[in-house]
Amino acid sequence: MFRFSLLSLLVAVGLVALGCAALVYATPVWARIVVTATLAALLAAGVGAFYLPDKSRAFAGGFAICGWGYLLLSQQPWLENMKGDLLTTAALNQLEPMLKDPKQPVADSPDMRVVMMQDQLRRTFRPLGVVPNSNFQQIGHSLWAILLGCIGGGLASVFDARRRKGKMV
């Protein structure tokens, strides 16, 4: 049913590699790049849902709806209580310690004490929603939005094909 060109698969592999690099080296710069690219993709999909040809319109609409819906749940501070219940947040919490930057400060260095104090503050104030998301969480939730947007776009394309098939019969 789905056909992919070699070029589109190479682009997809390249984007996955960039996403993995962003997660491993979760700096503020990477967070800004990934969040901005995610917002740009979702905005472009929203415009495409209105102006693209019929078959592409369904994918763009599904991508935009699912991507924006997930970002609403995962990034907004007024939904902080619901965010902890998402499976994606649990997955990111499990993945973060496994993907630590190998250049992390050693245990007794002053840098590590600062990191430990920040972690303690994050755990202390998390129920109050005072401490913002870490770079890793921002990157991870942005990548989840893209992935779920692609799944939503694929579902919308399937639904659109079924609808068209029903009209033609």
Side-chain angles (χ1 to χ4, degrees):
M1 176 187 256
F2 291 110
R3 297 178 117 184
F4 302 102
S5 69
L6 185 58
L7 177 63
S8 65
L9 289 176
L10 285 172
V11 168
V13 169
L15 291 175
V16 168
L18 281 174
C20 290
L23 285 172
V24 170
Y25 302 103
T27 63
V29 173
W30 270 115
R32 286 185 197 109
I33 291 169
V34 173
V35 170
T36 302
T38 300
L39 293 174
L42 292 172
L43 287 170
V47 171
F50 288 105
Y51 295 109
L52 285 174
D54 289 337
K55 290 183 181 181
S56 300
R57 183 181 303 161
F59 182 86
F63 183 91
I65 290 169
C66 291
W68 281 115
Y70 180 76
L71 275 185
L72 178 68
L73 289 175
S74 68
Q75 298 288 347
Q76 300 307 320
W78 59 83
L79 296 173
E80 188 69 32
N81 293 337
M82 184 182 293
K83 182 179 173 180
D85 295 334
L86 295 174
L87 286 175
T88 54
T89 302
L92 288 172
N93 289 340
Q94 292 293 317
L95 187 63
E96 187 172 9
M98 291 188 269
L99 294 180
K100 287 285 185 191
D101 182 358
K103 297 175 185 170
Q104 287 288 338
V106 290
D108 286 336
S109 71
D111 291 337
M112 187 59 185
R113 280 181 254 157
V114 169
V115 169
M116 289 170 56
M117 286 174 43
Q118 288 173 341
D119 187 49
Q120 180 63 38
L121 284 172
R122 190 170 282 115
R123 278 188 265 124
T124 303
F125 292 110
R126 183 175 186 141
L128 303 175
V130 173
V131 178
N133 289 340
S134 68
N135 295 324
F136 184 89
Q137 292 286 325
Q138 288 179 335
I139 293 168
H141 284 299
S142 294
L143 294 175
W144 272 113
I146 295 292
L147 177 64
L148 293 174
C150 289
I151 291 170
L155 280 173
S157 295
V158 168
F159 294 156
D160 185 58
R162 285 185 143 187
R163 182 182 58 86
R164 290 177 189 281
K165 186 177 179 183
K167 283 186 176 180
M168 296 178 86
V169 173

